[in-house]
Amino acid sequence: MAEHPPRLEINPPLINSSNPWATTLEDLRALHACPSTGAVTTRTSLVNGFAHDPAKHQYRFFDIAKQQPSPNSVSGQNASLNSLGYSPITLADYLGFIRTISDDLPAPTSKGFIVSVTGTPEEVAESYKLVATAQSSLQVPLSVEINLSCPNIPNKPPPAYSKDSLVEYLDHIQGVIAASPTLPRIPFGLKTPPYTHSTEYDGLIGALEQSADSAAGGVSPVSFITATNTLGSCLAISDIYAVDTTSSPGLALPGTGIGGMAGAPLHPLALGNVLTLRRMLDERKDKLGHIGLIGIGGVLDGAGYRRMKAVGATVVGVGTGLGLKGVKIFDEIEKGLDGQW
């Protein structure tokens, strides 16, 4: 019988995405305390941290219809643009944050953390091992999201656009699992960028099938896919008459103004990605049908949640909405569902 990897069990199936509003211990504590979230995703971290430069790495909210970015007000905004990279906080520190939250709990709970990580294949394999090792001494379940999709890292295209790169990452994770039989087996998944044509999907599915062919039982070791990250190469302009390509007046972000877009304008593309992936995974049911989908992109209310579930998301994630409204966004979404998760 085929050996399936551990499932990602989240109830209620509503979480935050890996984003700037899940950076600090206070952020994670508030998200974990929220009764309307079923798990908490950390901001993407590296083993050695990311060199954050506040002059370059910023975000703005804007109204997609009016193209009016605002650094201070969220009123009327429904989209976000960012030039952020990863978290300046190290993976070890995030595991420390989680331990602090776990130690404060009166009893073990099924509400856990998705630890988002990135780096080289070797660093990601080390990250998986560190998270899995931490699991045995915590009161909360852990899983690992491997972020291979950030559009804001210079000279480093998202690995999830390349089958060969995906295979390399999966090989390293499978190597750690095979070499460490006593290591707790925890779910891990891949965070993908927005795909816009068939060859990108084919590359991902091909890498997953190859991982299945090399795994015990012929089943991919991947438990879930997070789709999608922000869409890169986007621009929001506050005043078209003020744009100067050599400086930043009129641009939502400093420098070129180019960044990753999320929120309402990303929603249709995210829905298309989730639907397409669900169909392709189910077409390869024996090898890949067990893989769950975390649907992320422009979910701002109960209707957005229902759309994401309707196209095949196992769990729904919220990013821009969290930035706009804070943790109360999850309660608003739950109320909009009338108990119909």
Side-chain angles (χ1 to χ4, degrees):
M1 180 179 292
E3 179 182 351
H4 287 76
R7 292 174 61 88
L8 187 67
E9 301 286 353
I10 296 178
N11 185 37
L14 180 63
I15 65 173
N16 66 291
S17 67
S18 175
N19 60 52
W21 311 287
T23 298
T24 66
L25 172 59
E26 292 72 23
D27 293 336
L28 301 182
R29 197 192 298 274
L31 286 162
H32 197 264
C34 176
S36 300
T37 58
V40 178
T41 309
T42 68
R43 187 172 172 189
T44 301
S45 63
L46 297 92
V47 172
N48 297 314
F50 178 76
H52 177 77
D53 182 350
K56 296 179 180 178
H57 303 130
Q58 299 181 15
Y59 66 85
R60 293 287 186 271
F61 300 114
F62 67 99
D63 177 350
I64 184 59
K66 298 180 180 179
Q67 286 277 307
Q68 293 180 343
S70 172
N72 302 315
S73 174
V74 299
S75 178
Q77 314 296 293
N78 59 9
S80 64
L81 193 72
N82 85 82
S83 56
L84 297 167
Y86 307 118
S87 179
I89 298 173
T90 66
L91 172 59
D93 285 335
Y94 276 114
L95 292 175
F97 292 168
I98 293 169
R99 182 172 302 282
T100 296
I101 295 170
S102 173
D103 288 347
D104 288 343
L105 295 172
T109 176
S110 60
K111 183 173 182 175
F113 289 84
I114 302 172
V115 184
S116 186
V117 302
T118 196
T120 65
E122 294 80 9
E123 290 169 341
V124 163
E126 179 184 355
S127 296
Y128 176 88
K129 191 171 184 178
L130 288 170
V131 178
T133 300
Q135 177 65 87
S136 59
S137 60
L138 295 172
Q139 298 195 92
V140 294
L142 301 180
S143 55
V144 175
E145 175 189 86
I146 303 170
N147 185 350
L148 303 179
S149 54
C150 180
N152 293 324
I153 308 301
N155 304 315
K156 292 185 179 181
Y161 283 122
S162 163
K163 177 186 174 182
D164 291 343
S165 293
L166 285 166
V167 167
E168 186 177 7
Y169 277 92
L170 290 170
D171 283 349
H172 276 77
I173 295 290
Q174 287 175 276
V176 167
I177 294 172
S180 311
T182 61
L183 192 69
R185 186 78 185 275
I186 62 174
F188 80 90
L190 307 176
K191 186 172 186 178
T192 58
Y195 291 144
T196 59
H197 59 84
S198 61
T199 57
E200 294 166 342
Y201 292 105
D202 291 341
L204 171 64
I205 296 299
L208 293 172
E209 288 185 303
Q210 190 165 328
S211 73
D213 292 339
S214 60
V219 175
S220 174
V222 174
S223 297
F224 65 94
I225 295 171
T226 303
T228 75
N229 207 327
T230 59
L231 180 64
S233 298
C234 293
L235 178 68
I237 303 172
S238 58
D239 183 353
I240 60 174
Y241 300 106
V243 173
D244 178 348
T245 56
T246 63
S247 62
S248 60
L251 305 181
L253 296 172
T256 64
I258 301 293
M261 180 188 65
L266 184 63
H267 193 54
L269 182 55
L271 291 173
N273 272 237
V274 171
L275 178 63
T276 302
L277 288 171
R278 185 70 271 156
R279 287 175 173 172
M280 296 183 79
L281 294 171
D282 289 345
E283 287 169 358
R284 299 154 179 84
K285 186 174 183 179
D286 291 345
K287 293 182 178 181
L288 310 180
H290 66 280
I291 297 175
L293 290 176
I294 299 178
I296 296 175
V299 175
L300 301 172
D301 53 24
Y305 173 96
R306 287 192 295 270
R307 285 189 291 269
M308 197 60 83
K309 289 286 285 185
V311 296
T314 315
V315 176
V316 177
V318 177
T320 297
L322 174 61
L324 289 168
K325 293 190 174 183
V327 174
K328 70 177 184 180
I329 183 69
F330 300 105
D331 179 60
E332 291 182 5
I333 290 173
E334 181 179 6
K335 288 179 179 177
L337 299 176
D338 295 323
Q340 301 298 314
W341 287 110

